[in-house]
Amino acid sequence: MLDYAVQISVDATGVSRGTLDGLRAHGYTDEGILQIALIASWFNYINRVADALGVGRDEPGSTCELPLPPAAAWAPAAE
């Protein structure tokens, strides 16, 4: 399962029918395989977005910060 998740991350075009058959042979259902693919792909996507925005990087001398949205009218006031 982890090899499959890595394959999705490294080169999803390398996933073959044999890859999927191997997962089935280890007891994974098609629904389980779909869930693995969706979760691995979602994390790849969200990490790509974060990287593109520089989120989480502590670069020396960097002052780049994303602006915070105004508080919602229904939200309690900050103390």
Side-chain angles (χ1 to χ4, degrees), residues 23-36:
L23 288 166
R24 291 184 188 107
H26 281 88
Y28 290 95
T29 63
D30 287 347
E31 182 179 296
I33 295 168
L34 174 62
Q35 288 176 344
I36 296 164

Side-chain angles (χ1 to χ4, degrees), residues 1-28:
M1 186 265 295
L2 293 178
D3 289 339
Y4 177 55
V6 169
Q7 182 64 47
I8 290 170
S9 300
V10 173
D11 180 14
T13 64
V15 174
S16 67
R17 186 176 303 267
T19 305
L20 302 177
D21 288 342
L23 288 166
R24 291 184 188 107
H26 281 88
Y28 290 95

Side-chain angles (χ1 to χ4, degrees), residues 26-70:
H26 281 88
Y28 290 95
T29 63
D30 287 347
E31 182 179 296
I33 295 168
L34 174 62
Q35 288 176 344
I36 296 164
L38 291 172
I39 291 167
S41 298
W42 185 81
F43 273 98
N44 283 314
Y45 163 77
I46 208 69
N47 285 324
R48 180 73 53 113
V49 171
D51 288 345
L53 295 174
V55 174
R57 289 193 209 141
D58 291 330
E59 297 176 10
S62 175
T63 59
C64 178
E65 292 184 18
L66 295 176
L68 294 175

